[in-house]
Amino acid sequence: MSAEPSHRRFNPLRNEWVLVSPERSARPWQGQVDAPEPQDAPPYDPACYLCPGNTRSHGVRNPAYTSTFAFDNDYPALTLDTSQLSSLNSQESLLIAQPERGLCRVMCFSPRHDLTLARMETADIRRVVDVWAQECAAAAARPWVRYTLPFENRGAMAGASNPHPHGQLWATENVPNEPAREHESFARYRARHGGCLLCDYASREERLRERIVAENDGFVALVPFWATWPFETLVFSRGHAGSLDALNDRERDALADILKRLTARYDNLFEAPFPYSMGFHQAPVNSGGDAVEIWHLHAHVYPPLLRSATIRKFMVGFELLGSPQRDFTAEEAAARLRAVSDVRDSARTGAGASR
């Protein structure tokens, strides 16, 4: 029997409950087992459309970039021109549609095809942080933009279409669902308690020290009490900053450091490159009011792995139709991540992982 019974935990950011079922982690697994990610990527791949000097599918040639490189997405999910979508502007009862203007950017983190954040030098990750901040600020300079969301899908299992180290930035005319829900939570908490939800949460985690995975003077990475994905983490600033471009030099250095150490722990956990989807939630822009004051900058990191580098967590059944559910506690996940080094062990992580 598990020492902790099944129970549910409240997620104050999403205003929903998460079911925790510690005994399910012991169930036999005869489900899908994925192939481990290849480990022999070259520093330069002539077939990669993101490598320096290569030609992308639209015929545009990348410059011979030597650091970070950002460009408009060749296959954007959103466009600046919505004139042809006016027919979608429907408010008819249950059939509501509206045009959505947006900007989609791609950001190559490094010219090296074989790197990841865990493998990059901290100084190089700092340049990535600067580019995130610059791209967000440039997008926010457009008066119609209401939200900027930089994110990274790392690894094929997390949906990355290319293994070259890169992320994206989408800027939207409306605040997307998840940040909009968090905005309501921040505002509601401030109205009821007079403070910041994440500042107060951080003080409790600092006191308990049960779920912290990595920390420095500027940032904390932890498995949140209400985590849904098995090894989900929340990365947030110690100071009450509302956006990436509000971070000072010291805080940007700290963010680069925490990202390198966290992703190294991920890779070391199953001795293989760890897939994840990571995105930064920050204050809405060009919105007026107290949006910047109530917001606390944070990043969600959602890795799909469950038991090993080849067995993933599926959000199906009750998780999809009822409530989110996890197979072991946030405290166990944090302990397992703390137990491995925050320096990437390239000799071990190239070996793959067993079930």
Side-chain angles (χ1 to χ4, degrees):
M1 293 290 292
S2 171
E4 189 163 3
S6 297
H7 59 282
R8 67 176 188 162
R9 301 185 180 191
F10 184 67
N11 181 342
L13 283 174
R14 292 177 52 84
N15 195 34
E16 69 178 22
W17 292 90
V18 178
L19 180 63
V20 183
S21 311
E23 292 185 16
R24 279 180 57 82
S25 60
R27 75 189 190 279
W29 184 267
Q30 292 181 309
Q32 178 171 318
V33 176
D34 293 283
E37 184 173 321
Q39 305 294 316
D40 54 352
Y44 166 77
D45 183 351
C48 171
Y49 56 82
L50 295 181
C51 277
N54 288 358
T55 301
R56 304 200 301 273
S57 58
H58 279 315
V60 178
R61 183 178 294 277
N62 296 326
Y65 65 94
T66 59
S67 181
T68 54
F69 169 53
F71 61 93
D72 288 340
N73 197 316
D74 295 327
Y75 298 93
L78 296 160
T79 63
L80 298 177
D81 182 13
T82 60
S83 59
Q84 297 180 353
L85 301 178
S86 58
S87 61
L88 290 178
N89 198 355
S90 167
Q91 302 295 324
E92 192 277 319
S93 185
L94 298 177
L95 307 178
I96 301 173
Q98 298 175 343
E100 179 70 11
R101 186 168 30 167
L103 176 70
C104 296
R105 298 275 286 171
V106 176
M107 291 166 281
C108 295
F109 298 160
S110 168
R112 286 275 300 270
H113 183 78
D114 58 337
L115 295 184
T116 62
L117 290 180
R119 295 175 175 176
M120 290 171 62
E121 297 295 331
T122 304
D124 294 327
I125 300 175
R126 165 61 197 270
R127 280 190 280 272
V128 174
V129 172
D130 286 338
V131 171
W132 280 332
Q134 292 163 10
E135 289 287 328
C136 287
R142 300 170 185 258
W144 55 266
V145 169
R146 292 294 178 269
Y147 205 78
T148 60
L149 202 165
F151 64 94
E152 178 197 8
N153 297 323
R154 207 229 68 80
M157 196 181 290
S161 60
N162 186 295
H164 195 99
H166 74 286
Q168 298 185 56
L169 167 75
W170 290 13
T172 55
E173 192 170 10
N174 292 282
V175 180
N177 293 343
E178 293 301 310
R181 181 182 291 187
E182 292 186 352
H183 184 80
E184 293 178 357
S185 296
F186 279 122
R188 181 169 55 248
Y189 188 91
R190 186 184 188 189
R192 292 177 180 175
H193 304 284
C196 168
L197 190 160
L198 279 185
C199 285
D200 289 353
Y201 174 62
S203 67
R204 286 162 174 77
E205 290 287 11
E206 288 279 5
R207 183 177 70 252
L208 297 172
R209 307 202 66 80
E210 294 177 326
R211 288 168 291 272
I212 294 176
V213 174
E215 59 186 325
N216 57 31
D217 290 342
F219 278 81
V220 177
L222 54 79
V223 179
F225 177 77
W226 53 80
T228 296
W229 292 90
F231 294 99
E232 171 185 338
T233 52
L234 184 68
V235 179
F236 54 86
S237 57
R238 289 189 183 275
H240 185 74
S243 61
L244 285 163
D245 62 340
L247 299 177
N248 59 34
D249 285 341
R250 180 186 59 80
E251 291 168 326
R252 294 186 186 194
D253 287 342
L255 178 54
D257 171 72
I258 210 75
L259 290 176
K260 179 175 178 60
R261 292 166 54 199
L262 176 62
T263 53
R265 286 185 186 274
Y266 276 140
D267 281 6
N268 289 333
L269 182 64
F270 292 138
E271 300 180 12
F274 216 84
Y276 59 78
S277 186
M278 173 181 67
F280 287 88
H281 283 177
Q282 48 192 344
V285 298
N286 302 321
S287 300
D290 59 358
V292 174
E293 294 180 13
I294 68 173
W295 261 86
H296 193 124
L297 172 69
H298 60 282
H300 296 280
V301 188
Y302 298 131
L305 296 183
L306 175 61
R307 300 187 181 199
S308 72
T310 60
I311 296 179
R312 73 174 80 183
K313 166 73 174 181
F314 290 93
M315 288 293 180
V316 295
F318 191 89
E319 296 99 327
L320 188 63
L321 301 168
S323 296
Q325 179 269 335
R326 60 178 294 117
D327 289 2
F328 50 87
T329 65
E331 295 73 42
E332 179 183 344
R336 292 173 66 180
L337 285 169
R338 283 196 303 268
V340 296
S341 173
D342 62 1
V343 177
R344 189 179 184 279
D345 188 340
S346 58
R348 300 180 63 198
T349 52
S354 63
R355 300 181 195 178

